[in-house]
Amino acid sequence: SQTIHQWPATLVQPVGSPLSLECTVEGTSNPNLYWYRQAAGRGLQLLFYSVGIGQISSEVPQNLSASRPQDRQFILSSKKLLLSDSGFYLCAWKPPLTNYGYTFGSGTRLTVV
Amino acid sequence: DQQVKQNSPSLSVQEGRISILNCDYTNSMFDYFLWYKKYPAEGPTFLISISSIKDKNEDGRFTVFLNKSAKHLSLHIVPSQPGDSAVYFCAATSWGSQGNLIFGKGTKLSVKP
């Protein structure tokens, strides 16, 4: 069966520090991968998605970047965090070329102080 | 511009009664709709979906209704239980969008015993 792992669960980082959140999927190949952010009162905002290794699409220009170095690995990064980067970050996957719903990871609560 | 709107940020219902959560969309290209349920500090979990070729889909206590002419869908929960208390997200997608989901801002449902 397929599983998605996301870590860390919580993170407190100072302003200006770097960020790296990792997400891995098991039990499937060539998944579509997604990074979402849930900020207070703003629902689920799509940040990045990837349909293959090295292929990243950005939905919202901002202080963050994403990379997909391996088929089932998706990384969210920042060189210098801003206070506004605080939020609940969610990784998700779905089979390619399908309209199936996503399966989400358990999320990372990021607080920038 | 929000393509998927959940205009009620919160809803309170008595246990045993019906909960009705509403969702409106603006993009007529959307052809598949999903509802997700989210508990605090967890990733959203898929609840139920409906294709645009249907106007109703039922799964146990959960029923989703789709009114394409009004670009409106609703989720009915009957009977409501305290464990249903969560944030519910409506999402929509179309085949031409890589299957990427567009989410509403969510409705927080509170079911009181």
Side-chain angles (χ1 to χ4, degrees), chain A residues 38-102:
Chain A
Q38 184 186 18
R42 296 191 61 186
L44 295 172
Q45 182 185 35
L46 177 62
L47 302 176
F48 300 96
Y49 71 93
S50 172
V51 299
I53 295 174
Q55 300 179 61
I56 308 295
S57 296
S58 173
E59 291 292 304
V60 183
Q62 56 198 329
N63 186 41
L64 302 170
S65 62
S67 62
R68 184 170 177 173
Q70 300 179 44
D71 181 45
R72 289 167 292 190
Q73 184 186 29
F74 206 23
I75 298 171
L76 183 69
S77 304
S78 173
K79 292 182 179 178
K80 289 186 178 181
L81 284 168
L82 307 172
L83 287 175
S84 58
D85 292 324
S86 294
F88 191 58
Y89 289 82
L90 290 156
C91 182
W93 79 275
K94 78 168 185 69
L97 300 176
T98 66
N99 250 5
Y100 299 154
Y102 298 173

Side-chain angles (χ1 to χ4, degrees), chain B:
Chain B
D1 181 37
Q2 262 191 291
Q3 298 186 64
V4 178
K5 300 178 184 179
Q6 293 177 258
N7 292 319
S8 297
S10 63
L11 175 67
S12 184
V13 171
Q14 206 68 32
E15 180 179 5
R17 306 293 290 267
I18 184 172
S19 296
I20 300 176
L21 296 96
N22 293 304
C23 178
D24 297 292
Y25 61 96
T26 57
N27 189 340
S28 57
M29 297 300 292
F30 287 149
D31 54 15
Y32 194 68
F33 305 89
L34 308 91
W35 286 93
Y36 280 80
K37 177 180 179 180
K38 185 183 181 301
Y39 294 116
E42 294 183 11
T45 54
F46 170 74
L47 194 57
I48 193 169
S49 62
I50 188 166
S51 164
S52 60
I53 63 174
K54 294 186 170 183
D55 55 18
K56 176 183 174 182
N57 189 26
E58 197 170 351
D59 184 2
R61 296 186 296 114
F62 302 91
T63 303
V64 56
F65 295 92
L66 175 63
N67 183 334
K68 284 179 289 184
S69 60
K71 293 191 178 70
H72 176 84
L73 64 155
S74 60
L75 174 67
H76 293 211
I77 306 173
V78 185
S80 301
Q81 299 173 355
D84 296 328
S85 298
V87 176
Y88 289 79
F89 289 99
C90 171
T93 185
S94 62
W95 274 109
S97 65
Q98 295 271 3
N100 292 347
L101 296 180
I102 306 298
F103 286 89
K105 290 190 175 182
T107 297
K108 184 176 182 179
L109 174 65
S110 299
V111 180
K112 299 184 177 180

Side-chain angles (χ1 to χ4, degrees), chain A residues 9-64:
Chain A
T10 59
L11 194 57
V12 180
Q13 292 283 97
V15 169
S17 64
L19 172 75
S20 181
L21 302 180
E22 189 162 344
C23 172
T24 59
V25 181
E26 295 177 359
T28 187
S29 60
N30 197 31
N32 282 14
L33 296 170
Y34 303 86
W35 279 111
Y36 278 83
R37 177 171 63 196
Q38 184 186 18
R42 296 191 61 186
L44 295 172
Q45 182 185 35
L46 177 62
L47 302 176
F48 300 96
Y49 71 93
S50 172
V51 299
I53 295 174
Q55 300 179 61
I56 308 295
S57 296
S58 173
E59 291 292 304
V60 183
Q62 56 198 329
N63 186 41
L64 302 170

